[in-house]
mmCIF file of all heavy atoms in Angstrom:
data_model
loop_
_atom_site.group_PDB
_atom_site.id
_atom_site.type_symbol
_atom_site.label_atom_id
_atom_site.label_comp_id
_atom_site.label_asym_id
_atom_site.label_seq_id
_atom_site.Cartn_x
_atom_site.Cartn_y
_atom_site.Cartn_z
ATOM 1 N N GLY A 506 -7.285 -27.057 16.936
ATOM 2 C CA GLY A 506 -8.348 -26.539 17.792
ATOM 3 C C GLY A 506 -7.755 -26.174 19.123
ATOM 4 O O GLY A 506 -6.751 -25.467 19.193
ATOM 5 N N VAL A 507 -8.388 -26.691 20.180
ATOM 6 C CA VAL A 507 -7.887 -26.351 21.508
ATOM 7 C C VAL A 507 -7.051 -27.488 22.057
ATOM 8 O O VAL A 507 -6.696 -27.439 23.244
ATOM 9 C CB VAL A 507 -9.028 -26.020 22.484
ATOM 10 C CG1 VAL A 507 -9.715 -24.717 22.054
ATOM 11 C CG2 VAL A 507 -10.020 -27.162 22.523
ATOM 12 N N GLY A 508 -6.728 -28.446 21.226
ATOM 13 C CA GLY A 508 -5.953 -29.610 21.663
ATOM 14 C C GLY A 508 -4.605 -29.213 22.298
ATOM 15 O O GLY A 508 -4.134 -29.888 23.218
ATOM 16 N N TRP A 509 -4.039 -28.159 21.790
ATOM 17 C CA TRP A 509 -2.704 -27.763 22.254
ATOM 18 C C TRP A 509 -2.693 -27.344 23.723
ATOM 19 O O TRP A 509 -1.689 -27.338 24.384
ATOM 20 C CB TRP A 509 -2.125 -26.657 21.408
ATOM 21 C CG TRP A 509 -2.889 -25.356 21.479
ATOM 22 C CD1 TRP A 509 -4.027 -25.032 20.800
ATOM 23 C CD2 TRP A 509 -2.536 -24.225 22.260
ATOM 24 N NE1 TRP A 509 -4.436 -23.748 21.137
ATOM 25 C CE2 TRP A 509 -3.535 -23.233 22.054
ATOM 26 C CE3 TRP A 509 -1.529 -23.917 23.172
ATOM 27 C CZ2 TRP A 509 -3.522 -22.014 22.648
ATOM 28 C CZ3 TRP A 509 -1.513 -22.679 23.773
ATOM 29 C CH2 TRP A 509 -2.510 -21.749 23.516
ATOM 30 N N HIS A 510 -3.904 -26.993 24.255
ATOM 31 C CA HIS A 510 -3.953 -26.606 25.678
ATOM 32 C C HIS A 510 -3.444 -27.721 26.595
ATOM 33 O O HIS A 510 -2.933 -27.449 27.655
ATOM 34 C CB HIS A 510 -5.424 -26.340 26.099
ATOM 35 C CG HIS A 510 -5.987 -25.115 25.430
ATOM 36 N ND1 HIS A 510 -7.225 -24.677 25.638
ATOM 37 C CD2 HIS A 510 -5.428 -24.211 24.533
ATOM 38 C CE1 HIS A 510 -7.497 -23.548 24.941
ATOM 39 N NE2 HIS A 510 -6.364 -23.290 24.260
ATOM 40 N N LYS A 511 -3.574 -28.968 26.118
ATOM 41 C CA LYS A 511 -3.167 -30.101 26.931
ATOM 42 C C LYS A 511 -1.651 -30.119 27.190
ATOM 43 O O LYS A 511 -1.202 -30.696 28.165
ATOM 44 C CB LYS A 511 -3.543 -31.414 26.202
ATOM 45 C CG LYS A 511 -4.844 -31.974 26.668
ATOM 46 C CD LYS A 511 -5.002 -33.385 26.144
ATOM 47 C CE LYS A 511 -6.449 -33.810 26.149
ATOM 48 N NZ LYS A 511 -6.613 -35.028 25.358
ATOM 49 N N THR A 512 -0.926 -29.504 26.268
ATOM 50 C CA THR A 512 0.535 -29.524 26.439
ATOM 51 C C THR A 512 0.981 -28.550 27.542
ATOM 52 O O THR A 512 2.085 -28.747 28.092
ATOM 53 C CB THR A 512 1.278 -29.108 25.139
ATOM 54 O OG1 THR A 512 0.887 -27.762 24.847
ATOM 55 C CG2 THR A 512 0.906 -30.007 24.000
ATOM 56 N N ILE A 513 0.133 -27.608 27.874
ATOM 57 C CA ILE A 513 0.549 -26.674 28.912
ATOM 58 C C ILE A 513 0.511 -27.373 30.304
ATOM 59 O O ILE A 513 -0.453 -28.168 30.545
ATOM 60 C CB ILE A 513 -0.398 -25.444 28.937
ATOM 61 C CG1 ILE A 513 -0.525 -24.843 27.573
ATOM 62 C CG2 ILE A 513 0.152 -24.412 29.920
ATOM 63 C CD1 ILE A 513 -1.532 -23.772 27.469
ATOM 64 N N HIS A 514 1.453 -27.165 31.098
ATOM 65 C CA HIS A 514 1.525 -27.767 32.406
ATOM 66 C C HIS A 514 0.257 -27.327 33.188
ATOM 67 O O HIS A 514 -0.102 -26.148 33.182
ATOM 68 C CB HIS A 514 2.776 -27.265 33.131
ATOM 69 C CG HIS A 514 3.070 -28.025 34.366
ATOM 70 N ND1 HIS A 514 2.418 -27.841 35.546
ATOM 71 C CD2 HIS A 514 3.956 -29.036 34.600
ATOM 72 C CE1 HIS A 514 2.879 -28.691 36.462
ATOM 73 N NE2 HIS A 514 3.842 -29.403 35.881
ATOM 74 N N PRO A 515 -0.453 -28.297 33.836
ATOM 75 C CA PRO A 515 -1.693 -27.949 34.496
ATOM 76 C C PRO A 515 -1.602 -26.765 35.388
ATOM 77 O O PRO A 515 -2.551 -25.962 35.534
ATOM 78 C CB PRO A 515 -2.013 -29.214 35.274
ATOM 79 C CG PRO A 515 -1.289 -30.327 34.576
ATOM 80 C CD PRO A 515 -0.068 -29.718 33.953
ATOM 81 N N GLU A 516 -0.464 -26.606 36.056
ATOM 82 C CA GLU A 516 -0.331 -25.482 37.003
ATOM 83 C C GLU A 516 -0.196 -24.174 36.294
ATOM 84 O O GLU A 516 -0.486 -23.117 36.842
ATOM 85 C CB GLU A 516 0.911 -25.725 37.928
ATOM 86 C CG GLU A 516 0.627 -26.763 38.961
ATOM 87 C CD GLU A 516 1.913 -27.072 39.744
ATOM 88 O OE1 GLU A 516 2.804 -26.247 39.774
ATOM 89 O OE2 GLU A 516 1.957 -28.202 40.308
ATOM 90 N N ASP A 517 0.266 -24.195 35.032
ATOM 91 C CA ASP A 517 0.448 -22.939 34.289
ATOM 92 C C ASP A 517 -0.692 -22.656 33.346
ATOM 93 O O ASP A 517 -0.797 -21.576 32.763
ATOM 94 C CB ASP A 517 1.743 -22.975 33.476
ATOM 95 C CG ASP A 517 2.966 -22.942 34.354
ATOM 96 O OD1 ASP A 517 2.779 -22.777 35.568
ATOM 97 O OD2 ASP A 517 4.073 -23.070 33.836
ATOM 98 N N ARG A 518 -1.596 -23.642 33.157
ATOM 99 C CA ARG A 518 -2.594 -23.556 32.104
ATOM 100 C C ARG A 518 -3.471 -22.318 32.188
ATOM 101 O O ARG A 518 -3.588 -21.530 31.254
ATOM 102 C CB ARG A 518 -3.403 -24.829 32.066
ATOM 103 C CG ARG A 518 -4.165 -25.069 30.756
ATOM 104 C CD ARG A 518 -4.774 -26.433 30.707
ATOM 105 N NE ARG A 518 -3.748 -27.477 30.667
ATOM 106 C CZ ARG A 518 -4.025 -28.753 30.881
ATOM 107 N NH1 ARG A 518 -5.244 -29.126 31.236
ATOM 108 N NH2 ARG A 518 -3.096 -29.695 30.820
ATOM 109 N N THR A 519 -4.068 -22.153 33.388
ATOM 110 C CA THR A 519 -4.975 -21.006 33.526
ATOM 111 C C THR A 519 -4.266 -19.701 33.264
ATOM 112 O O THR A 519 -4.783 -18.844 32.517
ATOM 113 C CB THR A 519 -5.547 -20.974 34.981
ATOM 114 O OG1 THR A 519 -5.693 -22.295 35.409
ATOM 115 C CG2 THR A 519 -6.819 -20.225 35.055
ATOM 116 N N MET A 520 -3.081 -19.574 33.787
ATOM 117 C CA MET A 520 -2.308 -18.352 33.653
ATOM 118 C C MET A 520 -1.984 -18.087 32.153
ATOM 119 O O MET A 520 -2.202 -16.974 31.664
ATOM 120 C CB MET A 520 -1.007 -18.523 34.442
ATOM 121 C CG MET A 520 -0.107 -17.328 34.382
ATOM 122 S SD MET A 520 1.428 -17.692 35.295
ATOM 123 C CE MET A 520 2.130 -19.001 34.274
ATOM 124 N N VAL A 521 -1.542 -19.131 31.446
ATOM 125 C CA VAL A 521 -1.188 -18.960 30.076
ATOM 126 C C VAL A 521 -2.409 -18.583 29.208
ATOM 127 O O VAL A 521 -2.338 -17.669 28.432
ATOM 128 C CB VAL A 521 -0.508 -20.251 29.515
ATOM 129 C CG1 VAL A 521 -0.342 -20.163 27.991
ATOM 130 C CG2 VAL A 521 0.830 -20.496 30.195
ATOM 131 N N LEU A 522 -3.507 -19.308 29.470
ATOM 132 C CA LEU A 522 -4.681 -19.061 28.625
ATOM 133 C C LEU A 522 -5.259 -17.657 28.889
ATOM 134 O O LEU A 522 -5.703 -16.979 27.962
ATOM 135 C CB LEU A 522 -5.775 -20.122 28.845
ATOM 136 C CG LEU A 522 -5.318 -21.536 28.385
ATOM 137 C CD1 LEU A 522 -6.422 -22.556 28.658
ATOM 138 C CD2 LEU A 522 -4.997 -21.490 26.859
ATOM 139 N N GLU A 523 -5.187 -17.239 30.134
ATOM 140 C CA GLU A 523 -5.684 -15.883 30.445
ATOM 141 C C GLU A 523 -4.793 -14.835 29.790
ATOM 142 O O GLU A 523 -5.285 -13.863 29.174
ATOM 143 C CB GLU A 523 -5.684 -15.660 31.940
ATOM 144 C CG GLU A 523 -7.007 -16.039 32.579
ATOM 145 C CD GLU A 523 -6.937 -15.968 34.089
ATOM 146 O OE1 GLU A 523 -5.997 -15.351 34.648
ATOM 147 O OE2 GLU A 523 -7.841 -16.543 34.728
ATOM 148 N N ALA A 524 -3.513 -15.023 29.904
ATOM 149 C CA ALA A 524 -2.578 -14.083 29.250
ATOM 150 C C ALA A 524 -2.797 -14.055 27.752
ATOM 151 O O ALA A 524 -2.813 -12.994 27.134
ATOM 152 C CB ALA A 524 -1.112 -14.512 29.539
ATOM 153 N N TRP A 525 -3.033 -15.247 27.211
ATOM 154 C CA TRP A 525 -3.247 -15.341 25.775
ATOM 155 C C TRP A 525 -4.480 -14.565 25.349
ATOM 156 O O TRP A 525 -4.490 -13.819 24.413
ATOM 157 C CB TRP A 525 -3.311 -16.826 25.384
ATOM 158 C CG TRP A 525 -3.576 -16.996 23.907
ATOM 159 C CD1 TRP A 525 -4.775 -17.135 23.282
ATOM 160 C CD2 TRP A 525 -2.583 -17.033 22.898
ATOM 161 N NE1 TRP A 525 -4.611 -17.226 21.928
ATOM 162 C CE2 TRP A 525 -3.262 -17.179 21.670
ATOM 163 C CE3 TRP A 525 -1.210 -16.960 22.875
ATOM 164 C CZ2 TRP A 525 -2.625 -17.226 20.449
ATOM 165 C CZ3 TRP A 525 -0.535 -17.038 21.705
ATOM 166 C CH2 TRP A 525 -1.219 -17.154 20.469
ATOM 167 N N SER A 526 -5.563 -14.753 26.063
ATOM 168 C CA SER A 526 -6.850 -14.085 25.654
ATOM 169 C C SER A 526 -6.706 -12.585 25.847
ATOM 170 O O SER A 526 -7.259 -11.812 25.068
ATOM 171 C CB SER A 526 -8.047 -14.651 26.406
ATOM 172 O OG SER A 526 -7.819 -14.496 27.811
ATOM 173 N N GLN A 527 -5.972 -12.171 26.825
ATOM 174 C CA GLN A 527 -5.767 -10.745 27.082
ATOM 175 C C GLN A 527 -5.003 -10.133 25.891
ATOM 176 O O GLN A 527 -5.379 -9.101 25.350
ATOM 177 C CB GLN A 527 -5.001 -10.526 28.380
ATOM 178 C CG GLN A 527 -4.898 -9.115 28.815
ATOM 179 C CD GLN A 527 -6.259 -8.466 29.008
ATOM 180 O OE1 GLN A 527 -7.145 -9.063 29.573
ATOM 181 N NE2 GLN A 527 -6.436 -7.311 28.487
ATOM 182 N N VAL A 528 -3.942 -10.836 25.502
ATOM 183 C CA VAL A 528 -3.117 -10.341 24.408
ATOM 184 C C VAL A 528 -3.869 -10.374 23.106
ATOM 185 O O VAL A 528 -3.783 -9.401 22.314
ATOM 186 C CB VAL A 528 -1.846 -11.272 24.302
ATOM 187 C CG1 VAL A 528 -1.187 -11.103 22.958
ATOM 188 C CG2 VAL A 528 -0.853 -10.902 25.406
#
Side-chain angles (χ1 to χ4, degrees):
Chain A
V507 293
W509 66 279
H510 292 180
K511 265 193 200 166
T512 62
I513 309 172
H514 193 281
E516 285 173 22
D517 290 356
R518 199 170 291 164
T519 324
M520 180 184 65
V521 170
L522 293 179
E523 269 174 16
W525 178 268
S526 58
Q527 188 58 44
V528 161

